[in-house]
mmCIF file of all heavy atoms in Angstrom:
data_model
loop_
_atom_site.group_PDB
_atom_site.id
_atom_site.type_symbol
_atom_site.label_atom_id
_atom_site.label_comp_id
_atom_site.label_asym_id
_atom_site.label_seq_id
_atom_site.Cartn_x
_atom_site.Cartn_y
_atom_site.Cartn_z
ATOM 1 N N LEU A 1 69.371 -50.033 127.540
ATOM 2 C CA LEU A 1 67.973 -50.426 127.588
ATOM 3 C C LEU A 1 67.077 -49.235 127.270
ATOM 4 O O LEU A 1 67.306 -48.123 127.745
ATOM 5 C CB LEU A 1 67.623 -50.980 128.971
ATOM 6 C CG LEU A 1 68.252 -52.321 129.327
ATOM 7 C CD1 LEU A 1 67.874 -52.698 130.748
ATOM 8 C CD2 LEU A 1 67.817 -53.395 128.351
ATOM 9 N N VAL A 2 66.044 -49.501 126.465
ATOM 10 C CA VAL A 2 65.075 -48.470 126.094
ATOM 11 C C VAL A 2 63.676 -49.031 126.274
ATOM 12 O O VAL A 2 63.477 -50.232 126.445
ATOM 13 C CB VAL A 2 65.274 -48.009 124.623
ATOM 14 C CG1 VAL A 2 66.592 -47.286 124.460
ATOM 15 C CG2 VAL A 2 65.171 -49.209 123.688
ATOM 16 N N TYR A 3 62.696 -48.129 126.191
ATOM 17 C CA TYR A 3 61.289 -48.509 126.322
ATOM 18 C C TYR A 3 60.550 -48.064 125.060
ATOM 19 O O TYR A 3 60.652 -46.912 124.639
ATOM 20 C CB TYR A 3 60.663 -47.848 127.557
ATOM 21 C CG TYR A 3 61.219 -48.383 128.852
ATOM 22 C CD1 TYR A 3 62.428 -47.919 129.350
ATOM 23 C CD2 TYR A 3 60.532 -49.364 129.566
ATOM 24 C CE1 TYR A 3 62.945 -48.414 130.541
ATOM 25 C CE2 TYR A 3 61.043 -49.856 130.753
ATOM 26 C CZ TYR A 3 62.248 -49.385 131.233
ATOM 27 O OH TYR A 3 62.750 -49.884 132.399
ATOM 28 N N ARG A 4 59.862 -49.003 124.485
ATOM 29 C CA ARG A 4 59.143 -48.717 123.240
ATOM 30 C C ARG A 4 57.958 -47.800 123.523
ATOM 31 O O ARG A 4 57.209 -48.003 124.466
ATOM 32 C CB ARG A 4 58.656 -50.022 122.604
ATOM 33 C CG ARG A 4 57.896 -49.851 121.312
ATOM 34 C CD ARG A 4 57.737 -51.203 120.612
ATOM 35 N NE ARG A 4 57.245 -52.215 121.532
ATOM 36 C CZ ARG A 4 55.948 -52.457 121.726
ATOM 37 N NH1 ARG A 4 55.034 -51.762 121.061
ATOM 38 N NH2 ARG A 4 55.578 -53.408 122.557
ATOM 39 N N ALA A 5 57.777 -46.807 122.659
ATOM 40 C CA ALA A 5 56.673 -45.856 122.803
ATOM 41 C C ALA A 5 55.933 -45.745 121.481
ATOM 42 O O ALA A 5 56.495 -45.975 120.405
ATOM 43 C CB ALA A 5 57.184 -44.481 123.231
ATOM 44 N N ARG A 6 54.681 -45.393 121.583
ATOM 45 C CA ARG A 6 53.830 -45.207 120.405
ATOM 46 C C ARG A 6 53.296 -43.778 120.444
ATOM 47 O O ARG A 6 52.571 -43.413 121.366
ATOM 48 C CB ARG A 6 52.697 -46.221 120.408
ATOM 49 C CG ARG A 6 51.764 -46.136 119.219
ATOM 50 C CD ARG A 6 50.689 -47.204 119.320
ATOM 51 N NE ARG A 6 51.251 -48.546 119.288
ATOM 52 C CZ ARG A 6 50.579 -49.638 119.615
ATOM 53 N NH1 ARG A 6 49.326 -49.538 120.034
ATOM 54 N NH2 ARG A 6 51.159 -50.824 119.557
ATOM 55 N N ILE A 7 53.671 -43.013 119.449
ATOM 56 C CA ILE A 7 53.224 -41.630 119.362
ATOM 57 C C ILE A 7 52.236 -41.526 118.213
ATOM 58 O O ILE A 7 52.593 -41.724 117.047
ATOM 59 C CB ILE A 7 54.410 -40.665 119.141
ATOM 60 C CG1 ILE A 7 55.326 -40.651 120.370
ATOM 61 C CG2 ILE A 7 53.897 -39.256 118.882
ATOM 62 C CD1 ILE A 7 56.391 -41.696 120.356
ATOM 63 N N PHE A 8 50.991 -41.255 118.539
ATOM 64 C CA PHE A 8 49.960 -41.130 117.526
ATOM 65 C C PHE A 8 50.136 -39.822 116.765
ATOM 66 O O PHE A 8 50.530 -38.793 117.344
ATOM 67 C CB PHE A 8 48.571 -41.191 118.153
ATOM 68 C CG PHE A 8 48.209 -42.560 118.651
ATOM 69 C CD1 PHE A 8 48.409 -42.918 119.969
ATOM 70 C CD2 PHE A 8 47.693 -43.500 117.776
ATOM 71 C CE1 PHE A 8 48.091 -44.186 120.425
ATOM 72 C CE2 PHE A 8 47.370 -44.771 118.222
ATOM 73 C CZ PHE A 8 47.573 -45.116 119.539
ATOM 74 N N ALA A 9 49.834 -39.848 115.471
ATOM 75 C CA ALA A 9 50.039 -38.691 114.610
ATOM 76 C C ALA A 9 48.753 -38.322 113.898
ATOM 77 O O ALA A 9 47.938 -39.190 113.548
ATOM 78 C CB ALA A 9 51.131 -38.986 113.580
ATOM 79 N N CYS A 10 48.583 -37.031 113.675
ATOM 80 C CA CYS A 10 47.462 -36.510 112.889
ATOM 81 C C CYS A 10 47.966 -36.234 111.477
ATOM 82 O O CYS A 10 48.814 -35.347 111.283
ATOM 83 C CB CYS A 10 46.915 -35.235 113.516
ATOM 84 S SG CYS A 10 46.351 -35.440 115.226
ATOM 85 N N ASP A 11 47.472 -36.979 110.533
ATOM 86 C CA ASP A 11 47.933 -36.844 109.148
ATOM 87 C C ASP A 11 46.738 -36.918 108.211
ATOM 88 O O ASP A 11 46.530 -37.923 107.523
ATOM 89 C CB ASP A 11 48.944 -37.951 108.835
ATOM 90 C CG ASP A 11 49.509 -37.855 107.428
ATOM 91 O OD1 ASP A 11 49.500 -36.744 106.870
ATOM 92 O OD2 ASP A 11 49.939 -38.895 106.890
ATOM 93 N N PRO A 12 45.906 -35.878 108.161
ATOM 94 C CA PRO A 12 44.693 -35.940 107.331
ATOM 95 C C PRO A 12 44.980 -36.041 105.841
ATOM 96 O O PRO A 12 44.169 -36.569 105.093
ATOM 97 C CB PRO A 12 43.965 -34.632 107.680
ATOM 98 C CG PRO A 12 45.030 -33.719 108.199
ATOM 99 C CD PRO A 12 46.028 -34.600 108.877
ATOM 100 N N GLN A 13 46.131 -35.543 105.388
ATOM 101 C CA GLN A 13 46.459 -35.607 103.954
ATOM 102 C C GLN A 13 47.149 -36.911 103.564
ATOM 103 O O GLN A 13 47.519 -37.094 102.399
ATOM 104 C CB GLN A 13 47.368 -34.425 103.558
ATOM 105 C CG GLN A 13 46.649 -33.099 103.423
ATOM 106 C CD GLN A 13 46.323 -32.484 104.779
ATOM 107 O OE1 GLN A 13 47.087 -32.659 105.737
ATOM 108 N NE2 GLN A 13 45.222 -31.778 104.873
ATOM 109 N N GLN A 14 47.384 -37.784 104.522
ATOM 110 C CA GLN A 14 48.024 -39.078 104.268
ATOM 111 C C GLN A 14 49.387 -38.891 103.610
ATOM 112 O O GLN A 14 49.732 -39.520 102.605
ATOM 113 C CB GLN A 14 47.120 -39.955 103.385
ATOM 114 C CG GLN A 14 45.749 -40.207 103.950
ATOM 115 C CD GLN A 14 45.801 -40.918 105.291
ATOM 116 O OE1 GLN A 14 46.578 -41.840 105.470
ATOM 117 N NE2 GLN A 14 45.004 -40.471 106.230
ATOM 118 N N GLU A 15 50.202 -38.050 104.220
ATOM 119 C CA GLU A 15 51.538 -37.780 103.693
ATOM 120 C C GLU A 15 52.598 -38.670 104.316
ATOM 121 O O GLU A 15 53.661 -38.876 103.738
ATOM 122 C CB GLU A 15 51.897 -36.308 103.926
ATOM 123 C CG GLU A 15 50.985 -35.339 103.173
ATOM 124 C CD GLU A 15 51.203 -33.900 103.568
ATOM 125 O OE1 GLU A 15 51.737 -33.665 104.676
ATOM 126 O OE2 GLU A 15 50.836 -33.016 102.783
ATOM 127 N N LEU A 16 52.349 -39.184 105.485
ATOM 128 C CA LEU A 16 53.302 -40.065 106.149
ATOM 129 C C LEU A 16 53.114 -41.490 105.655
ATOM 130 O O LEU A 16 52.004 -42.014 105.635
ATOM 131 C CB LEU A 16 53.110 -40.000 107.670
ATOM 132 C CG LEU A 16 53.332 -38.632 108.316
ATOM 133 C CD1 LEU A 16 53.043 -38.697 109.807
ATOM 134 C CD2 LEU A 16 54.756 -38.147 108.072
ATOM 135 N N ARG A 17 54.198 -42.115 105.263
ATOM 136 C CA ARG A 17 54.157 -43.459 104.698
ATOM 137 C C ARG A 17 54.772 -44.465 105.670
ATOM 138 O O ARG A 17 55.556 -44.108 106.551
ATOM 139 C CB ARG A 17 54.922 -43.496 103.369
ATOM 140 C CG ARG A 17 54.384 -42.528 102.329
ATOM 141 C CD ARG A 17 52.990 -42.904 101.886
ATOM 142 N NE ARG A 17 52.475 -41.994 100.877
ATOM 143 C CZ ARG A 17 51.282 -42.115 100.304
ATOM 144 N NH1 ARG A 17 50.486 -43.111 100.667
ATOM 145 N NH2 ARG A 17 50.882 -41.250 99.408
ATOM 146 N N LEU A 18 54.432 -45.704 105.453
ATOM 147 C CA LEU A 18 54.917 -46.771 106.316
ATOM 148 C C LEU A 18 56.432 -46.853 106.257
ATOM 149 O O LEU A 18 57.031 -46.890 105.181
ATOM 150 C CB LEU A 18 54.298 -48.102 105.892
ATOM 151 C CG LEU A 18 54.741 -49.334 106.666
ATOM 152 C CD1 LEU A 18 54.327 -49.222 108.117
ATOM 153 C CD2 LEU A 18 54.171 -50.594 106.042
ATOM 154 N N GLY A 19 57.072 -46.863 107.433
ATOM 155 C CA GLY A 19 58.517 -46.976 107.525
ATOM 156 C C GLY A 19 59.270 -45.668 107.412
ATOM 157 O O GLY A 19 60.505 -45.654 107.535
ATOM 158 N N MET A 20 58.588 -44.562 107.164
ATOM 159 C CA MET A 20 59.260 -43.274 106.986
ATOM 160 C C MET A 20 59.921 -42.842 108.294
ATOM 161 O O MET A 20 59.285 -42.850 109.341
ATOM 162 C CB MET A 20 58.237 -42.233 106.519
ATOM 163 C CG MET A 20 58.825 -40.857 106.285
ATOM 164 S SD MET A 20 57.535 -39.677 105.797
ATOM 165 C CE MET A 20 57.091 -40.329 104.180
ATOM 166 N N PRO A 21 61.207 -42.412 108.262
ATOM 167 C CA PRO A 21 61.848 -41.900 109.482
ATOM 168 C C PRO A 21 61.212 -40.589 109.914
ATOM 169 O O PRO A 21 60.943 -39.713 109.094
ATOM 170 C CB PRO A 21 63.310 -41.702 109.061
ATOM 171 C CG PRO A 21 63.472 -42.504 107.814
ATOM 172 C CD PRO A 21 62.147 -42.503 107.138
ATOM 173 N N VAL A 22 60.983 -40.460 111.204
ATOM 174 C CA VAL A 22 60.309 -39.283 111.746
ATOM 175 C C VAL A 22 61.036 -38.844 113.010
ATOM 176 O O VAL A 22 61.487 -39.681 113.803
ATOM 177 C CB VAL A 22 58.824 -39.587 112.057
ATOM 178 C CG1 VAL A 22 58.165 -38.393 112.737
ATOM 179 C CG2 VAL A 22 58.077 -39.942 110.795
ATOM 180 N N THR A 23 61.151 -37.527 113.178
ATOM 181 C CA THR A 23 61.681 -36.952 114.404
ATOM 182 C C THR A 23 60.524 -36.471 115.259
ATOM 183 O O THR A 23 59.639 -35.757 114.779
ATOM 184 C CB THR A 23 62.621 -35.779 114.094
ATOM 185 O OG1 THR A 23 63.694 -36.233 113.267
ATOM 186 C CG2 THR A 23 63.192 -35.194 115.383
ATOM 187 N N VAL A 24 60.525 -36.874 116.521
ATOM 188 C CA VAL A 24 59.434 -36.559 117.436
ATOM 189 C C VAL A 24 59.967 -35.657 118.539
ATOM 190 O O VAL A 24 60.971 -35.986 119.188
ATOM 191 C CB VAL A 24 58.831 -37.837 118.051
ATOM 192 C CG1 VAL A 24 57.687 -37.490 118.989
ATOM 193 C CG2 VAL A 24 58.363 -38.779 116.954
ATOM 194 N N ASN A 25 59.315 -34.541 118.738
ATOM 195 C CA ASN A 25 59.646 -33.629 119.829
ATOM 196 C C ASN A 25 58.487 -33.620 120.819
ATOM 197 O O ASN A 25 57.362 -33.275 120.458
ATOM 198 C CB ASN A 25 59.894 -32.216 119.302
ATOM 199 C CG ASN A 25 61.147 -32.137 118.446
ATOM 200 O OD1 ASN A 25 62.161 -32.751 118.760
ATOM 201 N ND2 ASN A 25 61.082 -31.394 117.340
ATOM 202 N N ILE A 26 58.789 -33.994 122.044
ATOM 203 C CA ILE A 26 57.782 -34.048 123.099
ATOM 204 C C ILE A 26 58.091 -32.945 124.103
ATOM 205 O O ILE A 26 59.207 -32.852 124.623
ATOM 206 C CB ILE A 26 57.781 -35.415 123.800
ATOM 207 C CG1 ILE A 26 57.521 -36.535 122.786
ATOM 208 C CG2 ILE A 26 56.730 -35.453 124.903
ATOM 209 C CD1 ILE A 26 57.631 -37.914 123.380
ATOM 210 N N ASP A 27 57.103 -32.110 124.352
ATOM 211 C CA ASP A 27 57.252 -31.038 125.325
ATOM 212 C C ASP A 27 56.953 -31.608 126.706
ATOM 213 O O ASP A 27 55.802 -31.708 127.118
ATOM 214 C CB ASP A 27 56.313 -29.881 124.994
ATOM 215 C CG ASP A 27 56.597 -28.651 125.846
ATOM 216 O OD1 ASP A 27 57.472 -28.740 126.738
ATOM 217 O OD2 ASP A 27 55.954 -27.613 125.624
ATOM 218 N N THR A 28 58.008 -31.984 127.405
ATOM 219 C CA THR A 28 57.826 -32.612 128.715
ATOM 220 C C THR A 28 57.398 -31.615 129.782
ATOM 221 O O THR A 28 57.013 -32.019 130.889
ATOM 222 C CB THR A 28 59.122 -33.298 129.153
ATOM 223 O OG1 THR A 28 60.181 -32.327 129.200
ATOM 224 C CG2 THR A 28 59.495 -34.409 128.186
ATOM 225 N N ALA A 29 57.478 -30.298 129.449
ATOM 226 C CA ALA A 29 57.026 -29.307 130.425
ATOM 227 C C ALA A 29 55.523 -29.311 130.573
ATOM 228 O O ALA A 29 54.977 -28.914 131.605
ATOM 229 C CB ALA A 29 57.508 -27.906 130.015
ATOM 230 N N LYS A 30 54.833 -29.761 129.524
ATOM 231 C CA LYS A 30 53.379 -29.854 129.581
ATOM 232 C C LYS A 30 53.001 -31.221 130.120
ATOM 233 O O LYS A 30 53.559 -32.236 129.692
ATOM 234 C CB LYS A 30 52.773 -29.638 128.196
ATOM 235 C CG LYS A 30 53.025 -28.241 127.637
ATOM 236 C CD LYS A 30 52.362 -28.085 126.285
ATOM 237 C CE LYS A 30 52.603 -26.685 125.711
ATOM 238 N NZ LYS A 30 51.967 -26.505 124.402
ATOM 239 N N GLY A 31 52.059 -31.210 131.021
ATOM 240 C CA GLY A 31 51.629 -32.479 131.612
ATOM 241 C C GLY A 31 50.845 -33.309 130.636
ATOM 242 O O GLY A 31 50.988 -33.197 129.414
ATOM 243 N N GLY A 32 50.003 -34.140 131.142
ATOM 244 C CA GLY A 32 49.209 -35.016 130.291
ATOM 245 C C GLY A 32 48.049 -34.283 129.638
ATOM 246 O O GLY A 32 46.899 -34.634 129.841
ATOM 247 N N ALA A 33 48.370 -33.227 128.897
ATOM 248 C CA ALA A 33 47.319 -32.444 128.219
ATOM 249 C C ALA A 33 46.900 -33.185 126.970
ATOM 250 O O ALA A 33 47.130 -32.750 125.851
ATOM 251 C CB ALA A 33 47.827 -31.043 127.894
ATOM 252 N N SER A 34 46.309 -34.346 127.177
ATOM 253 C CA SER A 34 45.988 -35.210 126.036
ATOM 254 C C SER A 34 44.893 -34.640 125.174
ATOM 255 O O SER A 34 44.872 -34.831 123.970
ATOM 256 C CB SER A 34 45.609 -36.601 126.531
ATOM 257 O OG SER A 34 44.491 -36.520 127.406
ATOM 258 N N ASP A 35 43.941 -33.933 125.778
ATOM 259 C CA ASP A 35 42.830 -33.439 124.986
ATOM 260 C C ASP A 35 43.289 -32.410 123.965
ATOM 261 O O ASP A 35 42.740 -32.326 122.860
ATOM 262 C CB ASP A 35 41.774 -32.799 125.915
ATOM 263 C CG ASP A 35 41.113 -33.849 126.789
ATOM 264 O OD1 ASP A 35 41.160 -35.027 126.391
ATOM 265 O OD2 ASP A 35 40.580 -33.483 127.850
#
């Protein structure tokens, strides 16, 4: 069992395309430093 997550990305040059495989690294040592 897994939980679906949505990771927002900053892509001002529009280089990421729909369906492109992406590796996401989340620094869990940092709290909710959303700003």
Side-chain angles (χ1 to χ4, degrees):
L1 291 177
V2 293
Y3 292 81
R4 180 167 49 90
R6 181 179 297 166
I7 294 88
F8 289 95
C10 302
D11 182 24
Q13 284 76 33
Q14 303 300 318
E15 296 171 339
L16 299 177
R17 302 294 181 179
L18 178 63
M20 181 182 292
V22 175
T23 301
V24 181
N25 293 320
I26 302 175
D27 189 356
T28 58
K30 296 182 180 180
S34 59
D35 292 338

